[in-house]
Every structure is written in C-alpha cells, then in structure tokens.
Amino acid sequence: MRRKLAAGNWKMNGLSAALAELDALGDQSASAAEVLICPPATLIAAAASRVSGIAIGGQDCHAAQSGAHTGDIAASMLADAGASHVILGHSERRADHGEDDYTVATKAIAAWEAGLVAVICVGETLDDREAGRTLDVVGTQLSGSVPDGASAANTVIAYEPVWAIGTGKVPTTEQIAEVHDDLRARLVGRFGAEGDGMRLLYGGSVKASNADEIFATSNVDGALVGGASLKAADFGPIIDALNAS
Ligand code: PGA
C-alpha cells in the first residue's frame, strides 16, 4: 500500500510570521497521510525544529555537493537544516531557470545522496494538451527526469499540468486518471514493484472544494498544493480529505 501524501509548496511566500500556520496545522503524527510542507529555504530550519509529524522539504537544490555556485543551495544543506524532501523540476523552475529533464535528473541524484526524497514534477502546457501530446510530453519528462535508482522510498512523482497551476483551472478527473494511469504503467514498466510503490501526486489548483473528487481518482496518492497550502485553514481540510479518502 502506498501511504498518501499531502504536500504543500509555499513557493516564494512566507516570512517568519508564516511559521504560525504550521502551529495551526498542529501535530500531524497521528495522520494516516504523510504531511509535507516545503517553505522557502530561509524558513526550513525554523520550520523543522517547530513541527511534529510534518515533514519539511526544500523547493530546489543544486546538482553539485558544494562549490562556486553563488545563490544556490546544496541538497546536503537542506538535509542539514532539517529537510527530508526536496521538490525538483517544478514547472516554474523549468520555465524561469531553463531546467531540462537532464538537470532535474542530476539534482535527483544529488538529493538521494544527501538522504532526501525527491519530489519530481512533470506536466504539460496548454499547447501540449490542445495538440494531443500530453501523454508523450509527460512520459518523456518522466523518463528523462527520473534517474535509474529511483525507488518507492526515495522518489515521489507529481503530475502538475502547467495550465492548472495557480489558475483555478483543474483537469477533469478523467483527464487526471488518464495521465496518472499512464505514469503508473511507465513506472511499473521501468522499475517493477518499486514503480508500483512510488507515490503519484496531482498538483494544480487543488483546494478543499475539489480535493475529495481528486483523491478518489485512479492512481492519485495525494496532492502537491501551492496557494491552498499557505494557510492552515485551507490546507487542513485538504489533509482531512486525503485522510478520509
Ligand atoms: P497551485 O500550485 O496549487 O497554487 O495551483 C501548485 C504547484 O505549483 O505545486
């Protein structure tokens, strides 16, 4: 059985005062689903020492272990600050920083070497979807971004259609199921039982009001949530929906 995962991606949001939202989420140790919050890097250490039963993650790391890379952060630094996970290949990184599948794969290896779980993101643009290329695009991203050596323990996959992120637009559950079933088949084909055990998250405009039907969808093992993870009042009900699913 795959343990469900409710993951929050705060993106470039949150000053120290935002840590109060973690207090408001409360101790999640008894939660059936795993709960993960990825705050900005500046808050990781404080967040990790503050929470119980909530995993803390980074939003990116460099592929190298250390060196002359001004402004970057190494996976070992995230781990040292108390992170257990790192989001990699988010579409905003791919678009804003030109990250390609190879870059994402090298970062995943660095994350594993530091003992972090890599949350690897894939997703099509609206142009891709309208051209009927969704499964090809997402499948290509998956094969290029997930290195050999991926396991159920060290890797989570997040399917995030670019056109659904921050837009309030959500694919139909049939569209989500089509992609998640295809991703599952590809993961099982490549990694066998480990691929069957990898969690597949859906991401893109997940809210309390649509969480139930998304979590009831085939091969959806949880969500990667942006905007609705910033406030405990919004994220708490999403965790509850996942626990009830
Ligand atoms: P959103 O972002 O929930 O605000 O759409 C999701 C994400 O980018 O991970």
Side-chain angles (χ1 to χ4, degrees):
M1 274 299 284
R2 296 182 291 265
R3 189 175 177 204
K4 304 278 174 65
L5 173 59
N9 172 13
W10 283 9
K11 308 190 179 184
M12 198 172 73
N13 298 293
L15 303 178
S16 315
L19 294 168
E21 297 299 327
L22 298 177
D23 303 340
L25 278 179
D27 186 340
Q28 294 290 330
S29 307
S31 173
E34 189 176 8
V35 179
L36 166 67
I37 293 284
C38 300
T42 47
L43 294 182
I44 287 174
S49 63
R50 191 155 171 145
V51 297
S52 296
I54 299 177
I56 299 298
Q59 299 173 12
D60 176 51
C61 70
H62 197 279
Q65 293 189 346
S66 62
H69 303 289
T70 301
D72 278 313
I73 187 157
S76 60
M77 295 169 180
L78 297 176
D80 187 51
S84 52
H85 294 64
V86 61
I87 298 169
L88 295 174
H90 189 281
S91 64
E92 289 153 15
R93 300 286 318 171
R94 291 177 186 262
D96 295 355
H97 299 272
E99 293 190 7
D100 60 12
D101 296 335
Y102 177 77
T103 306
V104 177
T106 58
K107 290 181 173 197
I109 291 168
W112 297 340
E113 284 171 353
L116 300 177
V117 176
V119 180
I120 299 176
C121 303
V122 297
E124 84 285 4
T125 64
L126 191 57
D127 279 356
D128 293 329
R129 177 158 286 278
E130 288 176 346
R133 314 188 272 263
T134 296
L135 296 184
D136 280 350
V137 166
V138 171
T140 300
Q141 288 178 341
L142 187 80
S143 62
S145 303
V146 180
D148 293 341
S151 70
N154 70 17
T155 301
V156 173
I157 306 297
Y159 166 57
E160 300 204 304
V162 177
W163 53 273
I165 294 174
T167 59
K169 292 187 190 137
V170 183
T172 64
T173 52
E174 289 76 18
Q175 288 172 320
I176 296 173
E178 182 188 30
V179 176
H180 278 235
D181 289 351
D182 188 67
L183 289 171
R184 177 67 64 210
R186 288 174 191 266
L187 290 171
V188 171
R190 182 169 167 202
F191 299 106
E194 291 297 324
D196 193 43
M198 278 177 216
R199 272 87 59 87
L200 280 176
L201 309 183
Y202 168 77
S205 297
V206 175
K207 303 189 266 303
S209 57
N210 59 23
D212 285 334
E213 65 169 354
I214 290 170
F215 294 149
T217 303
S218 173
N219 274 309
V220 172
D221 304 308
L224 180 55
V225 183
S229 71
L230 295 173
K231 296 282 174 215
D234 297 323
F235 197 50
I238 294 173
I239 298 170
D240 293 345
L242 189 57
N243 279 330
S245 71

